[in-house]
Amino acid sequence: MSTPSLTLAPAPPSEAAEQVRAEVRRFLAEELAAGSFTTHVDTWLSGVDPAFSRKLGERGWLGMTWPSRYGGHERTAMERYAVTEELLAAGAPVAAHWIADRQSGPNLLRYGTEAQKATILPRIAAGECYIVIGMSEPDSGSDLASIRTRAARNGDGDWVVNGAKIWTSNAHASHYAITLVRTSPADPSNRHAGLSQLLIDLSTPGITVNPIRILDGGHHFNEVVFTDVVVPADMLLGTEGDGWHQVTAELAFERSGPERFLSTYPLLAEFARRVADSGDPAGVAVLGRLSARLLALRQLSLRIAAALDRGELPNLAAALVKDVGTTFEADVIDEIRRVVEVPASLDSPDPLGRALAEAQLHAPGYTLRGGTNEILRGIVARGLGLR
Amino acid sequence: MSDQDLVVETVRDILAAHEPFVLTPSRPWDGALWTALAEAGLTGVGLPEEAGGSGGELADAVAVVATLAAGAAAVPVAEQLLVAGPALVTAGLDLPDPAEPLSFAIADGVTAEPSDDGDGPGAFVLQGVSADVAWSGVARRVAVLVQGPPRIGGSVLVLVDAARVAAAPGTNLAGEPTGSLDLDGVSAPGALLTEAQAAVLRARFALARAVQISAALQQVLAWTVQYAGEREQFGRPLGRFQAIQMELAEMAGEVTAVAAIVDAAVQALGRGDDVVLAAAAAKVRAGAAVEVVARLAHQVHGAIGFTQEHKLHHLTRRLWSWRDEAGSELHWSRVLGAGLLAAGPDALWPTLTRVV
Ligand SMILES: Cc1cc2nc3c(=O)[nH]c(=O)nc-3n(C[C@H](O)[C@H](O)[C@H](O)COP(=O)(O)OP(=O)(O)OC[C@H]3O[C@@H](n4cnc5c(N)ncnc54)[C@H](O)[C@@H]3O)c2cc1C
């Protein structure tokens, strides 16, 4: 048995990326100064602000790597990386467009029909069209192949969808759901067969979106129920029966970005301000320790972005970033708590107390969303040749 | 095949004839391995030919050090190729013959007084004891970073002839020599360094240890994955058990994160960037990974890994030692934390994105 090399080629420094980084920084400083947003923890889940998303679209910071004929900007993954990183570090409200820009767009680019691409991608790039992931179901989380939402063809060849999706982030404020459905009966000998992806307009009759509140009372999640929902035949995404393959490829995109270790960065930044004021040596050391972990993750994630630019698919490393990164996101809270005496409270007058509260109440989600860490470690174990 | 691949292959060929052994006071290093490496010119890799080295890039020297670290080689090659050698060359001091083992030590308690004009390289008289000297008793010469004369400040890099200095023995957890040198009244050639130059030298030492740690972590993971594939319990290989898979995947995450930051810091050093914070991050991150990887590697290996017969301890004991050497995690965490705050608390993010 051989162990795959775990050293990724370095990411070459990119002047273009540094330039766009500086532009985003300037923009964010101006927006903060103008009060158009305030910094929060985990804003790529909770910071829904369509006006802000449209501003990013106007500046060319969405759909950055896509072809220009679909409203994209034909820039590199490294440039896109710099933009997403700056937005997350500032705790900017990016949740409205996040999934569409990160994953649905690339998914459509790869599998969509010409008509799907031409109508939807430019709107995503403009920050005006939001798409959600309709994968999980009440009885299917980690075991995604067991989904039961089904789609059957009617007399016109259109699809009729019945079933329910759950934990659907931002479904109440989005336009489409890329929905994983069963299009042939379950085959016990091939659990991954018979699944397809449908691009479902969320305003279609028969869809109900029921809010589910998370620990801090926020409404980000939903249950989405489909009752005899008619989806036009041309809204199949990719190939009928190929849904499993498409979903797995999509998840690889989803796992390695800076959002997998920067969700609690605004808390770390607030902590740094506190340590700078107090000079507490224990705090300085904790800041150093956490920063060393962050810097290592950043290197890894940058190297994956560079590998994607080269057309490689570093799936093992991507799973690793998400496992190590999301563990780090939660550890930030614990390590800081040990060296400051600040009660965590959402209505604390102290910004550190507020950031601690936001980070803590969101913490259970970090290691669950996008595939749990246990499932990711299973992927890594396969990569190591153990399964 | 790149230059580094060639270097690695040569080192591996030499290593193949030298099994790691348990270090004892009577056999504190692998002198035969050292001789073989020296004969192949590998103890001067990355050091300029004009100074008597074998030439080559920093990356070549790193490749030699990493390969030997993964092989648990008991030789002072990291000190010679990555720390003392380059430091002496930069300071304008004479590089000893690379065939003779050279080590490095930081002795904040030792002071140096110039015994001549004290301007540029010259002779210094030392006062104090240098503790924790890697390869003490083995290295023929030791480059020691000491305190400068009080009225001048700064630091002084001196080159001590260890054969003429009294040494007290000591070892780290792996049995590698880490005794002390009594430098009271010893006279040695040396050169003044600014605080910034001294800081970079300390960082180089930390980064050298991080390079060794990273290489050893990768090897420990490979051994453990291999073992899990071979050892059977309950009728199947350990690696088929999900609990073991989780442990190996966790190890892989740590190892990969360390490899990325250590490599990035090495690249930065190669470019000539200010590498203090990058080296600090690499050393701290590597040390943190040792906790997880060594613990889980022993767990997966079961009792056999707890024995002197099994090879695992050659690396895990070194890992437990190396993370404390060249500045502990606490030391470098403070350096990194303070460095990140230096530009003001609101500049944390811009500073972070400039570290590597
Ligand atoms: C913030 C957030 C946002 C989300 N957004 C979306 C979204 O937009 N769209 C969407 O479709 N889903 C979304 N999800 C759902 C998410 O993908 C699931 O929560 C996840 O896949 C886990 O499924 P589950 O919650 O049903 O847990 P389960 O699958 O029931 O797992 C429970 C526990 O058992 C462990 N476990 C399960 N199977 C195994 C196994 N084989 N081996 C070892 N351990 C195992 C899991 O790791 C976990 O610890 C979101 C979740 C969160 C927290």
Side-chain angles (χ1 to χ4, degrees), chain B residues 113-128:
Chain B
E113 270 297 333
S115 56
D116 53 15
D117 307 350
D119 192 18
F124 289 83
V125 178
L126 308 175
Q127 208 154 54

Side-chain angles (χ1 to χ4, degrees), chain A residues 49-60:
Chain A
D49 181 348
F52 190 84
S53 293
R54 276 194 296 272
K55 282 187 201 170
L56 297 180
E58 278 163 24
R59 282 164 178 77

Side-chain angles (χ1 to χ4, degrees), chain A residues 137-138 148-150 161-165 206 224-229:
Chain A
E137 296 187 5
R148 290 205 292 245
T149 297
R150 63 193 189 284
V161 180
N162 280 285
K165 295 290 174 181
V224 183
V225 182
F226 301 87
T227 313
D228 294 326
V229 174

Side-chain angles (χ1 to χ4, degrees), chain A residues 286 289-290 293 330-339:
Chain A
V286 164
R289 259 230 312 275
L290 290 171
R293 289 174 68 183
D331 286 351
V332 166
I333 307 166
D334 298 339
E335 294 259 2
I336 290 174
R337 273 195 64 257
R338 288 190 195 120
V339 286

